[in-house]
Amino acid sequence: MVNWIKDIIRPKIKTMFSKIKDVPENMWVPCPKCSTLMYRKDLHNHLNVCPKCDYHLFLGVEDRFESLFDDGKYSLLDLPKVKDDPINFKDLKKYKERLETYRAKTKSQDAIGVASGKIGKNDAVVCAFNFEFMGGSMGTFVGEAILKGAELAVKKNAAFIVIPASGGARMQESVLSLMQMARTTVAVDKVRDAGLPYIVVFANPTLGGVSASFAMLGDIHIAEKGAVIGFAGKRVIEQTIKQKLPPEFQTAEYLRNQGMVDIVVHRKDLRETISNILKMLMHNK
C-alpha cells in the first residue's frame, strides 16, 4: 500500500527545495529607491541603472572603464603597493583583516582603479572609485593612485578624469588619510601646469575629505543623475543648524542650480558627454 505522505509528497517537497538551492542568492537586486526587483544580468546590461525609477546604483571599476573608453578598450595602470596598516589600527576588527575581507569580496586591491585609453578618439586617463570597497574611502593607496594617474596623464599629454564615489577619508589610517587631501591637490596641479583638462564626474555619493579636496577642483564638474555630493551628511547638518533642509539638498541637480556642478547626465549619456567636451578641450593637443 502506497503511503502518500512518505512516498509521494515528501520526495516532491525535497525535489522542490533542491531546485531552490541551485538558484544563486544574488540573482535579483532590489532598487534602493523604489524597491523594484531587478534581474542582475539585465541590470548589468542597463549600466546598473534602475529601469523603473532611473536610480543609479554603484558601478564597478571595470564596468565603468568599459562603458567610457572607445570600444571598451583600455590599459590598466599597475599601482604601487603601500603599507596595509601603517598605524596598526583596530576597532571591532583589525584593519588588516578588513582589507583582506574587502579584497576577497571585490577582487580589487583597494577602492580605486586607474586606466588609460581613448574617449572619442582623444587620449584620457581615468581614475574610478569602487564604493563597495570600504565605502570608497580614501587612504594612502587612493592618494598614491590619483598622483600616479595624474603623472601618467601628463606623460601621455592626455585629459585627466576622476570619478569619485566615496564616503570620505579612511578613518583606519587616521592623519595619513587626511594627508591625501593635500597630495591629490598636488596631483591636480601637475595636470593644470601641463595645460591639460581635469574633469570630475561625481558618482553617488561623493562626501567628506574627497569632496573637500580633488573632487571640487575640476575644470568641469559633471554629475550622474541623482548623485549625493557634499561634505557632512544631510542629517548631521540638520542636527547642527537645528533646521530642516530641502528634500533635494546635496543632490546633483540642486548643486547644478547653485553653480557647483556644470552638467548632470544620465549614465548612458556619460561617454558621449565626455567625448564632446574632450573634442573641444583637446583639439590643439
Side-chain angles (χ1 to χ4, degrees), residues 29-259:
V29 180
C31 173
K33 185 176 181 181
C34 69
S35 300
T36 297
L37 277 178
M38 299 166 285
Y39 185 47
R40 184 172 290 278
K41 187 175 181 180
D42 291 341
L43 181 63
H44 180 268
N45 294 336
H46 207 249
L47 292 177
N48 278 20
V49 177
C50 176
K52 184 175 181 181
C53 71
D54 257 356
Y55 181 84
H56 287 45
L57 285 79
F58 306 133
L59 188 63
V61 171
E62 291 186 3
D63 290 333
R64 178 74 72 180
F65 290 152
E66 288 179 9
S67 69
L68 286 180
F69 288 109
D70 294 351
D71 301 320
K73 296 179 180 178
Y74 58 90
S75 298
L76 285 172
L77 176 63
D78 288 330
L79 298 173
K81 291 184 178 180
V82 299
K83 190 171 183 180
D84 278 350
D85 190 1
I87 62 171
N88 296 319
F89 186 91
K90 181 181 179 181
D91 45 28
L92 297 177
K93 194 175 184 180
K94 287 184 179 180
Y95 179 35
K96 278 187 177 180
E97 293 177 5
R98 288 191 187 279
L99 288 173
E100 290 171 2
T101 300
Y102 280 99
R103 283 169 182 167
K105 178 182 176 182
T106 64
K107 305 295 187 294
S108 299
Q109 183 66 17
D110 211 284
I112 194 172
V114 183
S116 62
K118 301 275 188 180
I119 300 179
K121 299 182 180 179
N122 286 288
D123 289 318
V125 174
V126 180
C127 299
F129 278 64
N130 181 5
F131 190 82
E132 293 185 335
F133 193 108
M134 296 188 72
S137 53
M138 179 172 66
T140 52
F141 186 95
V142 169
E144 189 70 19
I146 292 175
L147 190 58
K148 295 300 180 185
E151 290 172 350
L152 180 63
V154 172
K155 182 179 178 180
K156 287 180 168 288
N157 203 35
F160 188 46
I161 301 168
V162 180
I163 309 174
S166 173
R170 187 170 295 176
M171 60 169 282
Q172 289 86 351
E173 294 186 21
S174 187
V175 70
L176 294 176
S177 65
L178 297 179
M179 288 169 63
Q180 307 315 308
M181 296 172 67
R183 296 188 76 220
T184 54
T185 301
V186 170
V188 172
D189 286 341
K190 286 177 178 286
V191 175
R192 289 238 174 89
D193 290 343
L196 296 164
Y198 169 50
I199 299 172
V200 178
V201 180
F202 294 104
N204 184 44
T206 302
L207 299 166
V210 167
S211 67
S213 54
F214 66 88
M216 283 295 178
L217 299 176
D219 298 317
I220 294 179
H221 287 165
I222 303 171
E224 289 190 330
K225 184 178 178 183
V228 173
I229 307 160
F231 181 68
K234 183 179 178 181
R235 185 172 57 184
V236 173
I237 297 173
E238 287 180 334
Q239 290 173 348
T240 302
I241 66 174
K242 310 298 181 186
Q243 291 182 27
K244 194 73 175 173
L245 294 167
E248 72 279 7
F249 182 73
Q250 289 186 324
T251 63
E253 292 76 9
Y254 180 86
L255 292 181
R256 178 190 55 197
N257 295 338
Q258 307 304 316

